[in-house]
Amino acid sequence: MTFSSAATAATPPIREQRSELSAAGTALGALGMAAVVGVFAALLHVLSEVSPRIGPVFEGWSGSVHGSPLDAVRWFFGDMTEPLFFKSDLAAAGLLTGAVIAWWAGRRRKRWAGELSYGTGLWPWVFASAALSLALSNAAFGWMLDGGWQPTFVPFVCVAPAMVLVYGGGWRSCLTGAVLGAATTTPLALLLIPTVSAPLGLPAVVANVLAMALGSAVSFAVARKLPWLAPRAVERRKTTTQTGHTWKSDTFWAAQRVLKDFTETHFFANELASAGVILSVGAAFALNPGLPSYGSNLLPEILFAQALTSAFGVVLWREWFRDGGWAATYASVVSVAPAAVLAFNGSWTSIIGGALLGALVAPPVARGIATRLPAGYHPVIANTAAMAISTAVALPVLGLLPH
């Protein structure tokens, strides 16, 4: 079976003895990490009041891309963190720095580096294909930025990296995934934003993740017909496994899991990469709150909501993680939770309500769809579809509550 983080959600391992995660240990670790991110978010809120406000802002960024090569490069790197609702080139620098350190340390068997791209050893190909697909998207549709923001970022976190995980490393899968991703997902997003999201009064993220799901399904259907591609069994590198669970180990694992969820959508799922993007987007916000998160000044609220929804999900669905299993607890991190914060101006109802509803709905929907996917179709299709469904359901519900 081709390995992916989500593949285990479709076909969980069957063993006679199950290793259960304790509720207390998991809750302490997951909610403890959410609290740490919450303290960091509170610090950012304080720093925003005394920010020197130096450097570029988000307003006018898209319109300057054509006239400034520097702004075009910044937009390209900003696209790498837009799936997290950050949209910051400095945040992208932190993301990639953390990933490179994790890759370097992992090659030297350093346990503190954690796994990168699920221990497959394919991270360079995963990133290369995703970055190339992103470059093609910007080259093909960047001319539209004169009219304002466009979803040029969508290929970076779906078809291309998933294609590498299904078909293995190498230039054939790398280039095929990059081209198919750019050719399907960005045009679909451009079509669905005015025809689905806007008429229904839903945020653009619904159209974006729906485009990822549909584009991924189309791309994998095409890939099955291509003679130069054949699915490969991608094996994880051997790591030391833990035969039993203790209260302490469950706490540590849950804290790591929440942190990993910040880069699961990139197919990195690594603590160092996540720490890098969180710290660097925080630095960008402290320097000028007018840049990250579309200049909304809501980055602290978004960060806390994201950590909280991951923590809720890890606690609620912890049984799916047993024996090396997996759950799409990251799905709300990049959809419901931040979308709710932006939709309701960072109210406490939107932060807590969005985090809880996203954690309740997105992982089981993703799991249900993943179990019905044909062989050879990466579960990213299920995960992104779940993002669209859960956001479309949760935001109208939250709209009924006081803010």
Side-chain angles (χ1 to χ4, degrees):
M1 181 184 70
T2 300
F3 175 82
S4 77
S5 68
T8 54
T11 54
I14 300 175
R15 299 180 185 175
E16 292 183 0
Q17 294 184 351
R18 296 292 203 183
S19 296
E20 297 285 355
L21 292 162
S22 67
T26 305
L28 180 61
L31 296 175
M33 180 56 70
V36 170
V37 176
V39 170
F40 181 64
L43 175 62
L44 291 179
H45 181 74
V46 173
L47 291 176
S48 69
E49 301 296 325
V50 294
S51 169
R53 300 186 181 275
I54 58 175
V57 296
F58 181 79
E59 185 178 0
W61 187 2
S62 61
S64 65
V65 166
H66 271 169
S68 170
L70 177 60
D71 284 344
V73 171
R74 288 184 52 243
W75 186 272
F76 170 78
F77 282 102
D79 273 352
M80 293 185 181
T81 60
E82 185 151 2
L84 286 164
F85 286 66
F86 294 169
K87 190 66 176 184
S88 164
D89 46 328
L90 181 56
L95 169 73
L96 299 182
T97 299
V100 169
I101 292 173
W103 171 252
W104 174 86
R107 297 284 289 179
R108 287 155 181 78
R109 308 293 182 183
K110 306 293 186 182
R111 295 183 62 184
W112 52 263
E115 290 184 338
L116 187 61
S117 293
Y118 323 114
T120 60
L122 291 174
W123 177 75
W125 290 111
V126 164
F127 174 66
S129 186
L132 180 57
S133 195
L134 180 60
L136 291 173
S137 176
N138 274 267
F141 303 102
W143 60 273
M144 301 177 69
L145 291 170
D146 283 345
W149 174 89
Q150 302 295 336
T152 51
F153 75 96
V154 290
F156 189 67
V157 288
C158 52
V159 176
M163 198 73 69
V164 170
L165 290 179
V166 171
Y167 291 99
W171 287 111
R172 292 181 179 182
S173 60
C174 176
L175 295 176
T176 302
V179 172
L180 287 175
T184 58
T185 57
T186 307
L188 280 170
L190 291 168
L191 173 65
L192 294 173
I193 289 173
T195 59
V196 175
S197 288
L200 295 176
L202 296 171
V205 64
V206 174
N208 293 336
V209 292
L210 184 58
M212 293 179 195
L214 296 174
S216 296
V218 170
S219 295
F220 277 97
V222 171
R224 297 178 74 177
K225 306 295 183 181
L226 300 177
W228 60 85
L229 291 180
R232 304 182 194 176
V234 180
E235 296 183 358
R236 299 177 65 176
R237 291 178 176 172
K238 292 182 179 180
T239 56
T240 302
T241 58
Q242 184 175 316
T243 56
H245 288 279
T246 66
W247 182 81
K248 182 178 179 181
S249 68
D250 288 350
T251 300
F252 184 68
W253 173 87
Q256 283 184 302
R257 183 62 257 175
V258 170
L259 197 55
K260 285 182 178 182
D261 271 353
F262 278 86
T263 51
E264 182 82 44
T265 193
H266 298 85
F267 294 74
F268 294 2
N270 177 265
E271 305 93 314
L272 294 179
S274 295
V277 73
I278 292 171
L279 292 174
S280 56
V281 77
F285 184 79
L287 288 172
N288 196 331
L291 174 63
S293 300
Y294 314 110
S296 64
N297 289 291
L298 292 174
L299 176 70
E301 291 85 349
I302 287 173
L303 275 173
F304 182 51
Q306 288 173 317
L308 196 59
T309 197
S310 174
F312 286 158
V314 169
V315 174
L316 285 169
W317 311 111
R318 65 186 184 280
E319 65 179 61
W320 291 345
F321 285 103
R322 63 188 180 187
D323 290 335
W326 189 84
T329 51
Y330 84 99
S332 178
V333 173
V334 292
S335 58
V336 181
V341 170
L342 289 177
F344 301 105
N345 201 33
S347 68
W348 279 107
T349 305
S350 68
I351 293 173
I352 299 174
L356 182 57
L357 282 175
L360 280 169
V361 177
V365 171
R367 188 178 181 87
I369 298 174
T371 59
R372 292 164 175 80
L373 289 176
Y377 285 73
H378 194 279
V380 70
I381 299 167
N383 300 337
T384 48
M387 295 174 196
I389 293 169
S390 56
T391 306
V393 170
L395 261 63
V397 172
L398 289 172
L400 301 175
L401 304 177
H403 293 277

